[in-house]
Amino acid sequence: MNENGSAKRVRPQTATAPPSAAAPPSTYKAPTANPALRMMGIPGLPKKLPSRNWLIFFAVAGSFTAAVVYDKREKRRATARWSRAVAHLAREPVADPNQLPRKLAVFLESPPGDGLRVAQDHFTEYVKPVLAASGLDWEFVQGRKEGDIRAAVAERIRRARQPEAAAAAAAKTQDEIVQSVRRKNATPEWQGLRGDIVVGRHTWKEYVRGLHEGWLGPLVAPEPEPKPNAAAAGPAEGEEKTEEGPKPEEKPERPPQPPPYNTTDDYPTSALPRLIPAEFSPSAPVEFPHILGFSNTLIRLRRFLNRRRLADDIGREVAAVCLAAAVREYRDGDGDGGAAADGQPSEQEAALAHEEKNWVKSVWKAPDAPREPKKKTEGEGDAATAVAARPAERIWASPMVLDPRIAMRMRRFELRGEDEERARAIEVPEEEVEGWIKGSLRGLYRWAVTKPAPNPSWPDED
C-alpha cells in the first residue's frame, strides 16, 4: 500500500522471447510487373479474378449488350436486303416524262391506348426504307381515334361512286383539285395496280368496315335522330332567364367524325351499285405488335431482342406490294378459296388476329350506359320525348362481319417464289449494317494503312 493507504496496482509482466529465439526470415518475394507493360506505363494486372457478384454482373450486362447489338445489326441487314430487292424499280425508264408514278395508300391509326406517333415511328422504322428504295409514291391516310379510318375509306368510295355532276357541285378536297388540274393539263396517270398498305389489326378492321360502308351504304347521309332541345322547353319554374354576353373566340376544333351510313345488319338487304368494279385495289395487312403495361415487361423485352424477325416479315409484305407481280383472292375458311368451313374464319377475319390479345382492357370494356331521358312533364312539349343521338360504333371490339359480295372482290398481294429466292440470295455488305463504333474503327484503320495520294508540290514526290 502507498502512503495514502490505497492499494497499489501492479501490472502483469509478460515474458519476452530473447532475440536469439526470433522466427527465421521468410523466403516470400513480392511479384514484379511485366517488364513490357512496365515500359509502356501500364500498371500490373491483378493476380486474382473479380468477386462472384462482379462476374455475374459482367456476364449479364455483356450478354444483354451482345444480344442488342446482334439484333440491331441483323434488323438492318433484313431491311437492307428487301430494299435491294425492289431497288431496280426506281431505275426503270418511263415512256413519258410527265407520267405520274405508281401511288400507294398507307393507312395508319393510333394503336389502342396510345398515340399516333407510335404508329408513325413503326412505319418509319420498318416500312418506309423499302418504299423509299422502290421509288414509288405513297399517300397517308391517318386516324387518331377509333373510326377515323373507317370514315376516310368510306368517304373515298362514296366520292368515286358519285356522278360527275354531283361531284362537281360538292365541295372538293385538296386531292380532287390537284386531279382536276392534271386532267386539264392532260397529264397521263398511272395505268395499273396501285395497292393499299394497312398497318395493324385495328386499322385492318376499320379498313374492311369502310369498304362495306362505302359500297353497300347510301351516298347521302341518313337524317340524324332528333336530340332533346332544352331551349324549346323554356326555363324551369323559379328560374330566371339570364342574358349571356358574347363568348370569347375559341380555338377551332377538328371536324367531327361522320357517323356510319349503315350498320353490319344492313349488309344482306343492301344492293350493289351498278358500276362496282369486279376487283378492288389489292391490299396488304402489315404487322404492328403493340403491348402496354408493366406486367408485360418480359414480353416487350423478348420482342425488343427479336426485331430482326419483325423487320424481315414486314419487308417481305412491303416488297410484295412494290413488285406487284402476283395478286390473289383472299382465301376462305378452308384455305383453298372454296366455301368457308364451319367455324373456320376467312383470311380477312384471321389477318393479324393475334394482335387483339395484346390490346388494353379498355378496348373490350363496355361503354357506360346512356342516361335515361327526362320524364315528360307539363309544359315541356315534345322535346322531352326526343331520342338521343346514336352512340359511336365500336369496331375494334366487335367481330368482323363480311359480305360475300364484297369479300370476293378483295385481292391481296403475294410474293412469288422466284422473287423471294432472289431476295434471300442478296448479300448485304457488313459496312452497311455495322454500328458507329465499328465503322469508326474500320475508318481509322483504313486511314492509317492507306498510302496517301502523291502530291507534286512535295519535294520528295516525282
Side-chain angles (χ1 to χ4, degrees), residues 384-395:
T385 61
V387 183
R390 180 187 303 174
E393 185 178 4
R394 301 179 65 214
I395 303 177

Side-chain angles (χ1 to χ4, degrees), residues 11 13 37 81 86 98 174 208 215 254 269 283 304 312 330 367 386 388 403 409 437:
R11 294 183 179 180
Q13 295 182 359
L37 299 178
R81 181 187 299 113
V86 300
N98 296 327
Q174 186 68 22
V208 176
W215 290 112
R254 296 180 179 274
T269 59
S283 57
F304 177 75
D312 186 72
Y330 280 91
D403 187 272
R409 288 174 167 82
I437 297 178

Side-chain angles (χ1 to χ4, degrees), residues 64-100:
F64 182 78
T65 304
V68 171
V69 172
Y70 173 76
D71 179 75
K72 188 174 183 180
R73 185 176 70 249
E74 294 303 318
K75 182 179 75 71
R76 292 178 179 175
R77 192 188 306 277
T79 304
R81 181 187 299 113
W82 291 112
S83 299
R84 286 169 171 256
V86 300
H88 66 278
L89 299 176
R91 298 188 294 267
E92 292 182 355
V94 293
D96 191 344
N98 296 327
Q99 173 70 49
L100 295 177

Side-chain angles (χ1 to χ4, degrees), residues 234-242:
E237 297 182 0
E239 182 180 356
E240 299 180 357
K241 294 184 179 180
T242 57

Side-chain angles (χ1 to χ4, degrees), residues 331-340:
R331 300 185 178 94
D332 292 330
D334 58 353
D336 298 330

